[in-house]
Amino acid sequence: GDPLHASGLWEGGWGRPEAAESIFDERRHPLYPEHAPRHPHAPWPVPSVRNVCSFVTTLSTTARMGSEASVCGLAYIERYLAATASHLEPHSWRRLILVAWLVANKMWDDDGIENLELAEVLGLDVDDLNRLEQAFIVALNYGLSVRPSEYARYYFALRSICHDQDTQLRPLDDALAARLQRRGEIGRA
């Protein structure tokens, strides 16, 4: 026989590598079993603003993330969408928010939650979370710094959303502004 076939290299056949965007797709990678599609081609419902805010609030509270993670996470999602020329979709928004907030929290808080702990707290697969984080950071071309002017823009946008949803956001005070300025200087160094 053919030595290539005998080597086991053909075991399982050849397949195309998974597209980077598909790791964010809950139709293929549901966060939880109840998010798995009942029918492969069934349409996913568009989430309401309240559903998205509820998910973010639960994630932020459970993982003890400060409001800064929400501001930076929002910036990261917009960067991701621009870098990949994609759109938020009903089947991808939860995974994108999860990883954007995770990365934002790590960038903002030196003592932030790690992947293993987050996976345990939320009942997620840590290997999936690691792959998700890697794909997200690569898609952003490792561009994770947020300039003070960017932070302010996303802060006020998020504050407007939070106000509409009766949710609180930490005020933009002098201490936060000073911390942003220091981080901005580090990002330019």
Side-chain angles (χ1 to χ4, degrees), residues 24-27 35 43-47 87-95:
F24 301 101
D25 189 336
E26 282 197 77
R27 294 173 300 189
H35 294 167
W44 282 57
V46 175
H87 305 280
L88 276 179
E89 300 285 347
H91 53 269
S92 65
W93 69 271
R94 274 188 292 258
R95 289 178 65 84

Side-chain angles (χ1 to χ4, degrees), residues 14-144:
W14 286 90
R16 296 183 54 160
E18 184 174 36
E21 298 83 38
S22 72
I23 194 156
F24 301 101
D25 189 336
E26 282 197 77
R27 294 173 300 189
R28 296 185 68 176
H29 302 281
L31 279 179
Y32 300 105
E34 61 269 20
H35 294 167
R38 292 195 175 108
H39 304 289
H41 301 293
W44 282 57
V46 175
S48 67
V49 173
R50 183 161 299 287
N51 290 135
V52 174
C53 287
S54 176
F55 181 80
V56 168
T57 300
T58 300
L59 171 63
S60 298
T61 304
T62 304
R64 299 175 315 281
M65 295 178 180
S67 58
E68 300 85 3
S70 293
V71 174
C72 293
L74 188 58
Y76 290 165
I77 285 179
E78 191 166 278
R79 283 184 193 174
Y80 172 84
L81 297 175
T84 60
S86 59
H87 305 280
L88 276 179
E89 300 285 347
H91 53 269
S92 65
W93 69 271
R94 274 188 292 258
R95 289 178 65 84
L96 279 169
I97 287 175
L98 172 67
V99 72
W101 265 239
L102 172 65
V103 171
N105 192 57
K106 286 180 175 183
M107 291 301 294
W108 188 263
D109 184 356
D110 293 334
D111 296 321
I113 196 165
E114 295 294 328
N115 294 18
L116 181 60
E117 184 183 1
L118 183 65
E120 288 173 356
V121 167
L122 296 177
L124 302 172
D125 176 23
V126 70
D127 293 329
D128 179 51
L129 194 55
N130 291 339
R131 286 188 300 272
L132 191 63
E133 181 181 27
Q134 180 184 17
F136 187 73
I137 291 170
V138 167
L140 294 180
N141 198 24
Y142 301 90
L144 300 175

Side-chain angles (χ1 to χ4, degrees), residues 48-54 57 155-169:
S48 67
V49 173
R50 183 161 299 287
N51 290 135
V52 174
C53 287
S54 176
T57 300
Y155 171 85
F156 288 110
L158 192 58
R159 188 170 126 185
S160 167
I161 294 167
C162 289
H163 177 74
D164 291 346
Q165 296 298 313
D166 295 325
T167 306
Q168 297 296 316
L169 185 64

